[in-house]
């Protein structure tokens, strides 16, 4: 049977309900009446499983094409109802789109961008399904043990049918990186049947997760002014509006002074005034990487680095299905007031997945000290700060965490708050790294430093193995309730995900375990 109705949590906090229909699935936008709507009312996707086996009655394995990427020319296509994902035999296309009333929203300025956004969200749902077995059954490996069979790549075929039959639409989706083909030849097709050269297109999971959501999630423009600016996700979002008195979520305590620096809300759901990176068309702005320039720092030749996000700015969000919460990262702030969290949250208090004291926790060091260590749990030292971390400034958070004996053992930054203030100022003025606060559903849980390896002391030890755009990060988990292997696996891969998506030239993300790291 096909997967039942489900809810898709997008990185920008919006949700979609996916309902099985005849031959496929209907995607319904749950936020259509919200100011930050990003989608049409819904769209229908036809999803089927295809194979090219002559033995299509199920008596033998299908002739898979995972390794070749194209079906055998002498085989016939057999279509089956979709039940569970296959490694490379599933195919989909968008058959119809349900647009909102023209009285409420203007038509999309670029239908191609809107269709790309729908395909991106559809793939977001598909690649969250149960992963199929990666072993490939080929004639050459029929007698090979299962564990030793060659492995393929999970991908889904995109058919040039339905909405995708639009003139040049498939070609535009390919240029956006959403789909690809193993046939890179010009082809001998004439203008009349040029579509035949674009019939074998697909998207792999590996490629999909390297596409930045900021390229595909944006807002629709309200027909009559509306109450939101609808700024798209540019390279950096707009500045927040001071004195913003929007209602806060019930569990968000510690309302900051309106004159203190505030973080930008998650950019693609921005409700603030447009900034320098906004677009009047409400579409995402994208530019290729700038021309390559080099400079020398500390005797090391490296590319000129782009400026990081601003203080308090959220630069990454992700809904973690297994935890039931949104994970977010923002730049640390020197503000004496708590930094308001304007990112997505589940609002509901999901069960906490705490680790027992026997599970590990990562705590790593800044560049001038020794790096990562995994240590056992030690209760934090009580301090004068309030226990509610939502009501604490970043300096108070660092003071609380750095004075934890478990953390101080490896970071060595305990003491009065002015020590942590100097520490944070050094991080904010560094040219090769920047300080980060991690949050679960808006609640701070740890401190990170993301750095370029080439200029870091680690680059000296790696020598020529350090790439121009390779990154590393240091980390400490300050809140005991958010420790444990499962949480570590989630935030560590999320940091790596951001690094790879932020600059496609990044080939490696590293951590440096200490030599005395017994665990």
């Amino acid at each position: 049977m096909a997967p039942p109705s489900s809810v898709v949590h997008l990185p920008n906090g919006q949700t979609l309900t996916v309902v099985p229909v005849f031959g496929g699935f209907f995607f319904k936008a749950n936020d259509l009446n919200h100011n930050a709507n990003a989608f049409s009312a819904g769209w229908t996707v036809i999803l089927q499983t295809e194979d090219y086996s002559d033995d299509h009655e199920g008596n033998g394995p299908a002739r898979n094409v995972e390794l070749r990427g194209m079906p055998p020319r002498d085989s016939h296509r057999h279509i089956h109802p979709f039940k569970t994902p296959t490694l490379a035999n599933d195919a989909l296309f968008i058959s119809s789109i349900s647009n909102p009333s023209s009285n409420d929203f203007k038509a999309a300025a670029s239908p191609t961008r809107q269709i790309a956004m729908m395909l991106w969200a559809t793939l977001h749902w598909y690649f969250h399904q149960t992963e199929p077995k990666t072993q490939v059954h080929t004639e050459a490996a029929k007698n090979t043990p299962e564990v030793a069979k060659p492995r393929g790549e999970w991908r889904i075929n995109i058919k040039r049918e339905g909405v995708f039959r639009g003139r040049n639409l498939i070609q535009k989706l390919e240029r956006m990186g959403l789909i690809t083909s193993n046939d890179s030849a010009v082809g001998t097709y004439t203008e009349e049947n040029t579509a035949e050269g674009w019939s074998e297109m697909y998207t792999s999971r590996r490629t999909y997760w390297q596409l930045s959501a900021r390229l595909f999630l944006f807002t629709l423009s309200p027909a009559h002014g509306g109450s939101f600016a609808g700024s798209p996700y540019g390279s950096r979002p707009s500045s927040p509006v001071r004195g913003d008195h929007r209602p806060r979520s019930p569990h968000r305590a510690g309302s900051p002074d309106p004159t203190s620096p505030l973080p930008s809300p998650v950019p693609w759901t921005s409700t603030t005034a447009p900034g320098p990176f906004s677009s009047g068309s409400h579409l995402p702005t994208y530019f290729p990487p700038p021309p390559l320039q080099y400079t020398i720092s500390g005797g090391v030749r490296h590319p000129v680095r782009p400026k990081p996000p601003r203080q308090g700015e959220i630069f990454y969000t992700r809904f973690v299905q297994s935890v039931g919460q949104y994970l977010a990262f923002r730049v640390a702030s020197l503000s004496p007031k708590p930094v308001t969290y304007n990112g997505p949250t589940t609002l509901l208090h999901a069960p906490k997945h705490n680790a027992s004291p026997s599970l590990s926790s990562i705590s790593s060091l800044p560049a001038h000290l020794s790096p990562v260590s995994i240590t056992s749990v030690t209760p934090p030292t009580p301090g004068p700060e309030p226990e509610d971390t939502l009501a604490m400034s970043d300096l108070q958070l660092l003071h609380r965490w750095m004075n934890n004996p478990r953390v101080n053992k490896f970071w060595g930054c305990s003491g009065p708050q002015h020590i942590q203030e100097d520490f944070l100022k050094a991080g904010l003025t560094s040219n090769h790294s920047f300080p980060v606060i991690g949050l679960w559903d808006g609640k701070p849980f740890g401190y990170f430093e993301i750095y370029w390896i080439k200029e870091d002391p680690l680059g000296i030890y790696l020598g020529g193995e350090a790439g121009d755009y390779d990154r590393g990060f240091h980390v400490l988990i300050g809140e005991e309730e958010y420790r444990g292997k499962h949480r570590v696996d989630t935030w560590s891969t999320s940091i790596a995900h951001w690094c790879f998506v932020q600059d496609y030239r990044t080939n490696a993300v590293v951590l440096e375990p200490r030599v005395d790291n017994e665990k």
Side-chain angles (χ1 to χ4, degrees):
M1 297 180 60
S5 300
S6 59
V7 176
V8 180
H9 295 261
L10 298 176
N12 61 354
Q14 292 177 306
T15 60
L16 305 169
T17 297
V18 184
V19 182
V21 295
F22 180 77
F25 297 86
F26 179 71
F27 287 72
K28 177 182 179 297
N30 297 330
D31 309 284
L32 188 61
N33 296 324
H34 293 184
N35 288 339
N37 171 66
F39 291 99
S40 61
W43 64 95
T44 301
V45 170
I46 302 301
L47 176 59
Q48 299 167 326
T49 298
E50 304 177 353
D51 65 59
Y52 295 85
S53 172
D54 294 330
D55 182 12
H56 61 280
E57 299 298 329
N59 297 324
R63 291 171 60 183
N64 283 319
V65 296
E66 286 86 348
L67 296 181
R68 299 175 58 183
M70 298 180 66
R73 296 185 180 276
D74 58 347
S75 297
H76 299 285
R77 182 178 69 167
H78 305 291
I79 299 177
H80 312 278
F82 174 80
K83 295 181 180 179
T84 58
T86 62
L87 195 57
N89 290 337
D90 294 336
L92 69 76
F93 63 90
I94 298 176
S95 62
S96 62
I97 300 173
S98 303
N99 287 310
S101 170
S102 59
N103 294 327
D104 300 323
F105 293 96
K106 298 177 183 178
S110 171
T112 298
R113 292 284 191 97
Q114 190 177 32
I115 292 171
M117 177 173 61
M118 296 175 193
L119 178 57
W120 186 92
T122 302
L123 295 171
H124 189 83
W125 167 81
Y126 176 79
F127 286 121
H128 272 93
Q129 303 302 308
T130 303
E131 180 183 10
K133 292 183 178 180
T134 58
Q135 285 84 359
V136 178
H137 296 84
T138 63
E139 184 65 25
K142 64 180 181 180
N143 296 323
T144 304
E146 189 74 12
V147 69
K149 289 185 184 297
R151 295 181 179 273
E153 186 174 55
W154 186 13
R155 65 193 191 193
I156 185 169
N157 300 304
I158 309 298
K159 311 299 293 184
R160 191 179 183 273
E161 299 179 20
V163 173
F164 296 150
R165 293 186 65 85
R167 181 177 177 83
N168 298 326
L169 180 59
I170 284 289
Q171 291 91 327
K172 292 178 180 179
L173 295 177
E174 192 261 351
R175 295 297 180 265
M176 293 180 184
L178 262 177
I179 61 176
T180 189
S181 172
N182 285 345
D183 182 5
S184 57
V186 173
T188 58
Y189 311 103
T190 61
E191 181 67 24
E192 289 73 22
N193 63 353
T194 183
E196 296 180 16
W198 298 83
S199 60
E200 301 297 338
M201 309 301 296
Y202 66 89
T203 299
S204 68
R205 179 178 62 170
R206 182 195 305 270
T207 299
Y208 175 77
W209 288 120
Q210 294 182 71
L211 293 171
S212 174
R214 69 170 180 253
L215 302 180
F216 300 99
L217 295 180
F218 55 92
T219 62
L220 292 180
S221 177
H224 307 291
S227 59
F228 71 104
S231 303
Y233 190 155
S235 57
R236 289 207 300 273
S238 59
S239 301
V241 176
R242 292 187 175 183
D244 188 355
H245 299 292
R246 289 171 290 162
R248 295 165 58 87
S249 300
H251 70 289
R252 298 174 191 166
S255 178
D257 187 295
T259 61
S260 65
L262 298 176
S264 299
V266 178
W268 51 73
T269 60
S270 174
T271 58
T272 62
F277 298 98
S278 66
S279 166
S281 67
H282 293 256
L283 298 175
T285 54
Y286 172 76
F287 297 94
L292 191 58
Q293 302 179 76
Y294 278 88
T295 186
I296 296 177
S297 300
V300 177
R301 183 176 183 268
H302 60 85
V304 173
R305 305 301 187 189
K307 288 186 73 65
R310 296 164 299 190
Q311 290 187 50
E313 180 179 317
I314 299 171
F315 60 87
Y316 181 90
T317 59
R318 169 192 171 195
F319 179 76
V320 181
Q321 191 78 34
S322 58
V323 177
Q325 295 177 326
Y326 276 95
L327 172 66
F329 297 106
R330 64 165 172 80
V331 181
S333 171
L334 277 172
S335 169
K337 300 295 183 179
V339 177
T340 304
Y341 177 71
N342 292 316
T345 177
T346 59
L347 294 180
L348 300 177
H349 296 284
K352 300 183 185 302
H353 296 253
N354 295 344
S356 65
S358 61
L359 293 178
S360 63
S361 167
I362 290 187
S363 177
S364 71
L365 299 176
H368 63 283
L369 300 174
S370 302
V372 174
S373 173
I374 300 180
T375 68
S376 59
V377 175
T378 302
T381 300
E385 298 86 3
E387 290 298 322
D388 183 6
T389 55
L390 290 169
M392 299 169 66
S393 69
D394 286 355
L395 281 177
Q396 289 176 313
L397 289 171
L398 284 176
H399 181 66
R400 168 185 169 90
W401 296 339
M402 291 298 188
N403 281 283
N404 183 330
R406 169 179 58 83
V407 174
N408 181 58
K409 178 180 178 182
F410 297 100
W411 283 74
C413 293
S414 63
Q417 188 167 303
H418 73 83
I419 294 180
Q420 291 84 47
E421 183 176 7
D422 293 342
F423 170 84
L424 183 54
K425 286 181 178 179
L428 291 169
T429 56
S430 171
N431 284 323
H432 87 282
S433 67
F434 66 96
V436 174
I437 300 295
L439 310 106
W440 283 106
D441 261 355
K443 185 175 181 180
F445 72 90
Y447 172 82
F448 300 77
E449 289 176 344
I450 302 177
Y451 62 89
W452 299 102
I453 295 177
K454 206 73 180 288
E455 303 95 280
D456 189 81
L458 177 62
I460 299 175
Y461 295 99
L462 291 177
E465 296 183 19
D468 279 352
Y469 293 91
D470 291 349
R471 295 218 199 208
F473 64 91
H474 304 121
V475 56
L476 69 87
I477 303 303
E479 298 301 310
E480 303 296 327
E481 64 177 308
Y482 294 116
R483 299 178 66 190
K485 183 180 185 302
H486 180 68
R487 299 268 187 178
V488 171
D489 290 344
T490 300
W491 55 249
S492 61
T493 54
S494 295
I495 285 283
H497 183 212
W498 178 83
C499 292
F500 288 127
V501 168
Q502 185 67 14
D503 196 311
Y504 295 156
R505 295 168 293 188
T506 298
N507 291 316
V509 178
V510 304
L511 280 169
E512 324 99 282
R514 284 174 55 125
V515 68
D516 60 350
N517 183 346
E518 296 180 359
K519 289 190 177 181

